[in-house]
Amino acid sequence: MQISRREAFRISALGIGTSLALPVCADNPIQQSAKHSNRIGVSTYSFWHFQGKPIPIEMCLEQAADLGFDGVEILHVHMEEAAKAAGGDVDKHLLRSLKRRAFTLGLDLMGFSTHQGFVSPDEDKRKKNIEHTSRCLEMAYELGIPTIRVNTGRWGTSNNFDELMANKGIEPRLPGYSDDQGFEWVIRSFETLLPKAEECGVVMGLENHWGLGREATGVLRVIDALKSPWLQATLDTGNFLENMYDQMEALAPRAILVQAKTYFGGGEWYTLDVDYGRVAQILRKHNYRGYISLEMEGKEAPATAIPKSLALLRKAFS
């Protein structure tokens, strides 16, 4: 788009920067993008690992603000358990109170980490998980959160989560069923949820989180089957146990949120040596400009491990 000198003066007189009307071209220095710094958030999971009494979400918000985070990702189970421990429920009053508190602290509520599973031949079970996820989308809308973490689910043939982790997230299928059937259940379930996601304006981010989503190929199989802007990826740096950087590279173009794990004091189930400088390069290559959400999964006390993690991520993503 070319403009005359007279038109440029007219735009300037209206108080509009003339740079907005400059033609887009390769040799225009204004078009050269500056190095982008990602904002850093923290998941409430970093403060509570499903052990002991859950820390109130309000306290997590206050600590996040004091430590200098830009935003907070709320773990749905954490919010439910904290409300129960306080003798209450997760209702609209609580959700609006949390949204107001985050705003007064200068924090974004930028993620909502939920749990669901669709890898089951039981149609009623899948339906219940669809209804649960629909409610989570509505809660995210009420909180003003733009994305929720979702899962494919898994076969459920492990005795417990510790056994699943000991087997690196791999478990046998249910007898008589195939992965292809499992993927079909997952795809159809998310297809059912897409209208609700669009209605709420909340993007579902499918995480590489065990089950059929353990690897990037599984996550992308679901996303590519539906081709919807309301189903993208949540990239978890700590859940690729093989070829982690190649798998991050594969998922990065579809990432709507990145969860960054750290393991100070040794991991709860395992410890990975993640090179966050390399991760940052991968994400910049694919023009990822969204949030990095800390998931501190180490055994060290959050009071010391979370500030160390923030410093690590600030350095890598600045």
Side-chain angles (χ1 to χ4, degrees):
M1 172 180 148
Q2 300 291 338
I3 63 173
S4 67
R5 185 184 297 256
R6 179 178 296 176
E7 183 67 11
F9 280 125
R10 187 184 72 80
I11 293 172
S12 180
L14 291 171
I16 302 172
T18 54
S19 62
L20 297 177
L22 289 176
V24 178
C25 57
D27 58 357
N28 185 347
I30 296 176
Q31 300 302 318
Q32 296 177 4
S33 60
K35 184 179 179 182
H36 178 74
S37 297
N38 296 93
R39 286 177 288 180
I40 310 296
V42 58
S43 170
T44 63
Y45 172 70
S46 300
F47 298 93
W48 181 67
H49 294 167
F50 305 99
Q51 298 172 7
K53 187 176 180 179
I55 298 170
I57 299 297
E58 296 87 341
M59 188 178 295
C60 294
L61 295 176
E62 290 161 8
Q63 291 184 26
D66 290 344
L67 290 169
F69 284 95
D70 302 306
V72 171
E73 177 184 4
I74 295 176
L75 177 65
H76 172 243
V77 173
H78 185 169
M79 183 174 69
E80 294 280 357
E81 291 299 316
K84 187 187 301 181
D89 297 307
V90 174
D91 54 18
K92 286 189 176 182
H93 174 76
L94 174 62
L95 298 176
R96 290 169 182 172
S97 175
L98 292 175
K99 182 167 65 172
R100 186 196 64 80
R101 186 64 183 132
F103 180 72
T104 60
L105 290 168
L107 291 168
D108 294 335
L109 292 182
M110 49 73 180
F112 195 44
S113 193
T114 70
H115 290 82
Q116 56 282 114
F118 305 115
V119 186
S120 171
D122 186 334
E123 186 175 354
D124 286 340
K125 185 176 180 180
R126 298 197 304 272
K127 184 178 178 182
K128 287 179 181 177
N129 276 270
I130 289 170
E131 291 170 350
H132 163 71
T133 307
S134 181
R135 288 193 297 273
C136 287
L137 286 164
E138 291 173 349
M139 281 189 275
Y141 170 79
E142 192 70 40
L143 287 161
I145 295 176
T147 184
I148 70 170
R149 183 283 303 270
V150 292
N151 310 134
T152 60
R154 54 190 179 87
W155 289 108
T157 53
S158 302
N159 290 320
N160 51 52
F161 193 73
D162 289 338
E163 180 182 304
L164 181 71
M165 291 297 92
N167 292 324
K168 297 185 176 182
I170 299 170
E171 61 183 1
R173 305 174 192 87
L174 284 172
Y177 295 97
S178 68
D179 281 353
D180 286 341
Q181 287 174 295
F183 274 109
E184 186 64 19
W185 298 327
V186 172
I187 290 166
R188 297 285 76 84
S189 296
F190 281 121
E191 184 178 44
T192 302
L193 285 161
L194 288 175
K196 173 59 74 173
E198 183 173 5
E199 175 191 332
C200 293
V202 176
V203 181
M204 295 181 289
L206 183 57
E207 185 186 346
N208 51 300
H209 188 267
W210 320 126
L212 297 185
R214 181 180 180 274
E215 298 180 353
T217 52
V219 174
L220 292 172
R221 178 171 173 176
V222 178
I223 294 172
D224 291 341
L226 293 172
K227 297 180 175 62
S228 170
W230 300 103
L231 179 66
Q232 296 298 305
T234 294
L235 192 166
D236 190 310
T237 64
N239 288 353
F240 289 131
L241 301 186
E242 301 89 22
N243 305 316
M244 71 166 75
Y245 301 109
D246 289 342
Q247 297 212 68
M248 288 184 207
E249 179 98 39
L251 215 53
R254 310 303 293 272
I256 198 73
L257 180 68
V258 172
Q259 295 172 331
K261 280 194 169 67
T262 61
Y263 303 93
F264 290 102
E268 292 283 2
W269 291 280
Y270 55 83
T271 303
L272 295 180
D273 183 13
V274 183
D275 181 346
Y276 277 109
R278 186 172 176 181
V279 174
Q281 289 179 345
I282 291 170
L283 295 176
R284 289 190 188 109
K285 175 182 174 183
H286 294 283
N287 198 33
Y288 176 75
R289 308 192 111 196
Y291 259 99
I292 307 297
S293 181
L294 168 65
E295 289 190 330
M296 196 287 291
E297 196 173 82
K299 295 178 181 178
E300 186 174 322
T304 54
I306 292 177
K308 289 180 190 176
S309 301
L310 176 58
L312 175 69
L313 298 180
R314 288 278 189 220
K315 181 178 179 181
F317 293 97
S318 63

